[in-house]
Amino acid sequence: MSANTQSPPAAWQTATLGLALFCALALPALLPLSASAADCKKIAEEARRERDLIARRDLLAKAIKQCPKDPEINFMQGYSFERLRDYKEAQRYYITASTLDPKHAKAFFGLGDICLVTNKAQDAVAAYEKGLALDPGNKRAAKSLESARIKLKAQRGESVSSEEAVTVLFEEKSKDREISPIEATILRLLILFPDKSTELPEEGADQLSIVGARAFTSRELQGAVFEVVGNTDDSGNAKTNLTVSRKRAEAVRTYLIKNCNIEAKKLKVAAKGHTQPIVPNSTEQNKKINNRVEFRRLK
């Protein structure tokens, strides 16, 4: 055998074998260990006892590292983010929970709540229906599904009765303790305008009368200030759309002040033109939905 092909010295082979054995034994200790199902259950119980929302979120973030495939812990984290109004993160964890456990009804209900509060009525209907197929006795979700269906009708431009309007506007949202039912009522209200019109439609005036009489004047919102936000679809030029959206918001604000005795200082005006569509401007029906005035709470 030539010098170039000689085997390494025995001592070198022994050292290499020892190093490999050490790495094989030590590596598992260096990697994060997944907790057992029993451990994950204990972690979930500990998180439920934590009342502070920020502390609970942080506790659950650590728990997910130990129990990444636990649907209940992912659901709880989604709920934490929902209550903190981080709806994008809440949706992500609800989706994870429902994927890990397709029979997790509460995860679908959570998704429905997120879609409803972000004005995605069609997605909300689908999520509530999936959840209720698993838990048909859930009265809160059934009521939310009813509201989502009514809101979807309104977004499609279909006629909505005054009884249906009240169902949507004053639904109890007991799940989210951070947003009162009255506040949620206003934040979810959409006033739809035809084409490029800036004149408040009769249906919109009726809805504003209901809200103005019972929500804006409530004790809960005595010190609240809201932004009245005008929007359009993407047809036409940006400058014109911005002007139209402002006039729409001003029309809504003026109606509330003159006809519902709302203090002017409670309502600010904002114009977004066609920059913030709810749905893609791909169909005439979608464009009707984007021609709207909505509300956002400033304080």
Side-chain angles (χ1 to χ4, degrees):
M1 182 178 296
S2 67
N4 292 333
T5 59
Q6 285 183 345
S7 299
W12 186 88
Q13 288 181 326
T14 301
T16 302
L17 180 60
L19 180 61
L21 181 60
F22 170 80
C23 290
L25 293 172
L27 188 57
L30 298 175
L31 295 176
L33 295 176
S34 295
S36 67
D39 289 337
C40 290
K41 187 175 181 179
K42 290 180 181 179
I43 292 170
E45 289 299 325
E46 182 183 353
R48 286 192 186 93
R49 290 193 294 270
E50 177 56 63
R51 310 313 303 169
D52 182 87
L53 286 177
I54 301 297
R56 182 188 293 183
R57 179 201 63 189
D58 295 342
L59 182 61
L60 286 166
K62 295 177 182 178
I64 287 172
K65 291 181 179 179
Q66 293 178 272
C67 309
K69 295 184 178 181
D70 187 287
E72 183 63 17
I73 289 177
N74 277 277
F75 164 75
M76 291 171 64
Q77 185 66 308
Y79 183 39
S80 293
F81 276 111
E82 181 182 356
R83 293 189 64 189
L84 291 167
R85 305 190 195 188
D86 188 340
Y87 299 127
K88 184 177 180 180
E89 283 297 289
Q91 183 180 43
R92 181 166 73 90
Y93 283 104
Y94 282 148
I95 289 173
T96 299
S98 63
T99 301
L100 291 169
D101 180 6
K103 294 184 178 181
H104 200 303
K106 288 183 178 180
F108 288 110
F109 296 153
L111 278 173
D113 292 341
I114 295 299
C115 292
L116 201 56
V117 81
T118 55
N119 293 315
K120 297 175 182 176
Q122 187 167 351
D123 293 338
V125 168
Y128 286 132
E129 287 178 342
K130 287 181 180 178
L132 284 165
L134 299 167
D135 181 12
N138 192 300
K139 294 181 179 180
R140 186 199 72 81
K143 189 172 183 180
S144 295
L145 173 59
E146 181 186 5
S147 297
R149 285 173 172 165
I150 295 169
K151 192 160 190 177
L152 182 59
K153 283 177 63 177
Q155 288 185 352
R156 287 173 172 171
E158 300 174 20
S159 177
V160 175
S161 69
S162 58
E163 290 81 7
E164 288 176 325
V166 171
T167 297
V168 173
L169 296 175
F170 295 95
E171 67 172 337
E172 290 292 330
K173 189 170 188 300
S174 59
K175 182 177 179 181
D176 191 340
R177 304 297 183 185
E178 300 305 301
I179 301 179
S180 71
I182 294 296
E183 181 182 346
T185 289
I186 298 172
L187 295 178
R188 293 175 190 171
L189 177 65
L190 296 182
I191 305 299
L192 303 183
F193 284 72
D195 302 321
K196 295 299 181 184
S197 172
T198 59
E199 184 176 348
L200 181 64
E202 184 177 349
E203 295 83 358
D206 289 343
Q207 291 189 69
L208 288 173
S209 294
I210 295 171
V211 173
R214 298 175 60 183
F216 279 107
T217 57
S218 69
R219 290 184 179 180
E220 286 182 85
L221 300 178
Q222 280 185 348
V225 176
F226 285 85
E227 192 173 59
V228 186
V229 188
N231 299 270
T232 70
D233 63 39
D234 65 350
S235 59
N237 64 69
K239 184 176 180 180
T240 298
N241 287 342
L242 192 63
T243 300
V244 168
S245 65
R246 180 169 293 280
K247 288 183 177 180
R248 286 175 172 175
E250 289 172 346
V252 169
R253 180 177 184 270
T254 298
Y255 184 90
L256 287 169
I257 293 169
K258 289 186 175 181
N259 296 279
C260 303
N261 297 317
I262 309 301
E263 294 179 88
K265 66 181 181 180
K266 292 175 69 71
L267 302 170
K268 308 296 182 182
V269 165
K272 301 298 181 181
H274 61 252
T275 62
Q276 294 188 0
I278 295 178
V279 292
N281 286 291
S282 54
T283 66
E284 289 304 312
Q285 184 57 49
N286 282 5
K287 288 183 178 182
K288 287 182 181 179
I289 296 171
N290 288 328
N291 281 295
R292 71 199 191 279
V293 169
E294 58 192 0
F295 298 87
R296 295 174 186 159
R297 185 167 183 174
L298 298 178
K299 71 173 185 177

